Amino acid sequence: MQVRTRHTPSYGVARLMLAPGEPVRVESGSMLATSYGVTVESRAQGGFFKSLARSALGGESFYVSTYTAPQQGGWVDVAPTLPGDLNVLELDGRVGWCVTKGCWLASASTVQVETQWGGFQNLFGGEGGFLTRLSGHGSAVVACYGALDVVTLQPGEYITIDTGHVVAYADTVQSQLRQMNQGVAQSLKSGEGLVFDFAGPGQVLTQTRNPRGLVGWLRANGLGPRS
């Protein structure tokens, strides 16, 4: 599979170029268009209980769609729900990636897509207790809300990132979740809640906009659902 992106960085679309008979896994609902003759099958990824956890706790779709090219080859266009940039991860079989809620878009059939428990702290942080873990060989496409920044950490180098701005990180990176300020009162005053501390070596992908901020703005202006 080869990936060609267009309309980046604001309204990214990825075209997945497939060899004859080649399949590709796509997040349910992300397909924009396909060449004629491409077939699709949607099924629970990793079985019923893993798919249920992925949907209910990870914030992802219960089903994953597999598109397969006909004998002459073909393509599939995919696009995320929110406007923003795309990034293509090239997995080499050695370094895996952890992808946060709503950011995985598609990957080659040679890439393993698993649901990984990120701990109760992540769940309380509002990002979902489960992460999508990618491993194996091949290309994977992740999406972000807003522009994408790639932070490359050297061994022993640290960075602190708000949970809502984390897109993905290599599994060579160490991470911990903590409260930005001591005490609830201080968090309310600053508007900051939980953050991730990352330690290198490895890369962390971040997004310049926070989906939670969009939801809050819509609610404040009477444009979104109220809980």
Side-chain angles (χ1 to χ4, degrees):
M1 183 184 79
Q2 296 181 342
V3 182
R4 301 175 184 173
T5 61
R6 64 184 191 275
H7 305 314
T8 56
S10 298
Y11 299 97
V13 175
R15 175 158 293 185
L16 315 174
M17 305 296 299
L18 305 176
E22 182 180 10
V24 61
R25 295 190 185 98
V26 175
E27 172 72 323
S28 182
S30 297
M31 188 275 287
L32 176 65
T34 74
S35 59
Y36 185 76
V38 171
T39 60
V40 60
E41 179 184 16
S42 295
R43 62 172 56 185
Q45 179 70 27
F48 176 82
F49 290 106
K50 286 187 177 181
S51 294
L52 182 62
R54 182 174 181 266
S55 174
L57 298 177
E60 309 288 355
S61 299
F62 184 87
Y63 295 101
V64 171
S65 299
T66 299
Y67 291 83
T68 304
Q71 289 308 305
Q72 67 270 27
W75 53 264
V76 179
D77 278 356
V78 294
T81 301
L82 296 175
D85 207 348
L86 302 175
N87 191 74
V88 181
L89 303 174
E90 297 295 345
L91 281 76
D92 59 4
R94 295 176 297 176
V95 178
W97 283 81
C98 293
V99 184
T100 59
K101 172 176 155 183
C103 293
W104 174 74
L105 200 59
S107 57
S109 60
T110 51
V111 173
Q112 285 74 55
V113 181
E114 300 173 319
T115 303
Q116 176 174 299
W117 175 242
F120 284 105
Q121 293 171 314
N122 288 350
L123 183 64
F124 297 150
E127 306 311 311
F130 285 80
L131 302 169
T132 297
R133 187 177 186 278
L134 308 177
S135 60
H137 294 80
S139 301
V141 183
V142 295
C144 70
Y145 177 35
L148 183 84
D149 280 326
V150 180
V151 180
T152 301
L153 298 175
Q154 301 302 317
E157 184 179 3
Y158 292 82
I159 190 172
T160 299
I161 305 173
D162 180 273
T163 55
H165 289 273
V166 177
V167 173
Y169 54 93
D171 59 12
T172 58
V173 176
Q174 298 182 31
S175 66
Q176 70 170 8
L177 193 73
R178 65 176 174 85
Q179 194 170 356
M180 183 66 177
N181 294 298
Q182 296 298 320
V184 176
Q186 288 298 318
S187 293
L188 291 174
K189 289 178 182 178
S190 68
E192 302 294 342
L194 296 174
V195 295
F196 275 113
D197 290 327
F198 292 105
Q203 289 187 330
V204 181
L205 309 184
T206 67
Q207 55 192 4
T208 59
R209 297 293 181 268
N210 186 336
R212 293 200 311 271
L214 174 62
V215 173
W217 185 88
L218 290 172
R219 287 176 174 170
N221 289 274
L223 300 175
R226 296 181 181 275
S227 56

